[in-house]
Amino acid sequence: MLVTGASRGLGRALADLYAADGFRVIACTRQGQGEPLDVADAASIAALGERLKGVPVDIVVNNAAIRGDTGGLASLSPDDFLDVMRVNALAPLLLARALRENLLAGARRVLANISSRAGSLAEGTLDDDDGDYAYRCSKAALNMATVKLAQDFRRDGITVLSLHPGWVRTDMGGEEAAVDVTESAAGLKALIDRATLADTGSFRSYDGRTIAW
């Protein structure tokens, strides 16, 4: 399996769980140990695809993400907004394209996008008033990307999921977050492992609940 943003937090936890389960894990990181990948750089994504040409990949997890500005409309910066969209929404699409043949060569054929309930139009503003315009817009865009990829990849037998990890105690989520990273990772892995083509294009929480779009 391949997971982006694997140097720490949720990505690292997922990598460890799959390694313990006997998978060869391609842990993609921008710096340090692991497969080098800068998801903000389209050339880096294309280079990853070239390096992995011919390598079967059962599961791809698009986990890498950034939060961006949280100060609301008054502090909204065009550059910050576009940076968040590039990493959180565009990069997963470019990775899906770069790794499509790898997934076709794999046995499981699952592409999981780590989204967020914050990107749900129905539920995203029910429980907080954070001013994170860029993050919320990027996750809403990622959800649409999941639906479009599910349509495009169905004929290939590739299952595409949007997954909400919960409010996780990581560098992004903060110490006050409600869900331990190991609990979130275990729940996400369970969803990924039992996913079939009947689940493609769905939006689920780590605890199994269906999230409204």
Side-chain angles (χ1 to χ4, degrees):
M1 68 90 69
L2 180 146
V3 57
T4 65
S7 63
R8 59 187 179 180
L10 186 61
R12 177 64 180 271
L14 284 166
D16 289 345
L17 281 177
Y18 274 99
D21 204 19
F23 279 74
R24 176 198 171 194
V25 176
I26 303 170
C28 297
T29 62
R30 189 173 60 176
Q31 298 175 334
Q33 294 183 338
E35 184 71 29
L37 175 66
D38 181 357
V39 295
D41 182 356
S44 179
I45 294 172
L48 175 70
E50 286 298 315
R51 292 196 302 274
L52 295 179
K53 188 168 287 187
V55 177
V57 178
D58 290 292
I59 298 164
V60 171
V61 180
N62 282 312
N63 166 72
I66 57 176
R67 183 76 182 273
D69 177 73
T70 60
L73 194 60
S75 61
L76 183 68
S77 156
D79 288 342
D80 176 82
F81 188 94
L82 292 174
D83 286 345
V84 175
M85 292 295 290
R86 182 177 294 109
V87 170
N88 295 2
L90 177 59
L93 282 172
L94 297 180
L95 279 156
R97 183 174 67 182
L99 301 175
R100 185 175 192 168
E101 294 301 317
N102 304 86
L103 283 165
L104 279 170
R108 289 283 293 114
R109 296 185 179 181
V110 176
L111 172 64
N113 293 322
I114 303 302
S115 184
S116 172
R117 185 169 176 255
S120 164
L121 301 186
E123 301 185 23
T125 58
L126 293 179
D127 53 3
D128 65 65
D129 57 357
D130 287 350
D132 47 356
Y133 273 83
Y135 183 76
R136 290 173 182 275
C137 289
S138 72
K139 291 302 187 179
L142 179 59
N143 287 340
M144 178 56 79
T146 293
V147 173
K148 285 297 295 175
L149 286 169
Q151 292 173 341
D152 288 346
F153 283 11
R154 179 181 286 275
R155 63 179 175 270
D156 296 332
I158 298 172
T159 299
V160 187
L161 308 170
S162 267
L163 298 177
H164 167 57
W167 183 23
V168 187
R169 286 190 293 275
T170 61
D171 288 347
M172 183 183 293
E175 289 298 321
E176 296 180 354
V179 183
D180 183 75
V181 68
T182 56
E183 178 186 357
S184 175
L188 294 172
K189 182 177 184 297
L191 287 170
I192 292 167
D193 288 351
R194 64 173 177 259
T196 69
L197 204 57
D199 302 301
T200 198
S202 62
F203 188 11
R204 305 283 295 280
S205 172
Y206 76 99
D207 58 6
R209 185 174 70 86
T210 297
I211 306 291
W213 296 106

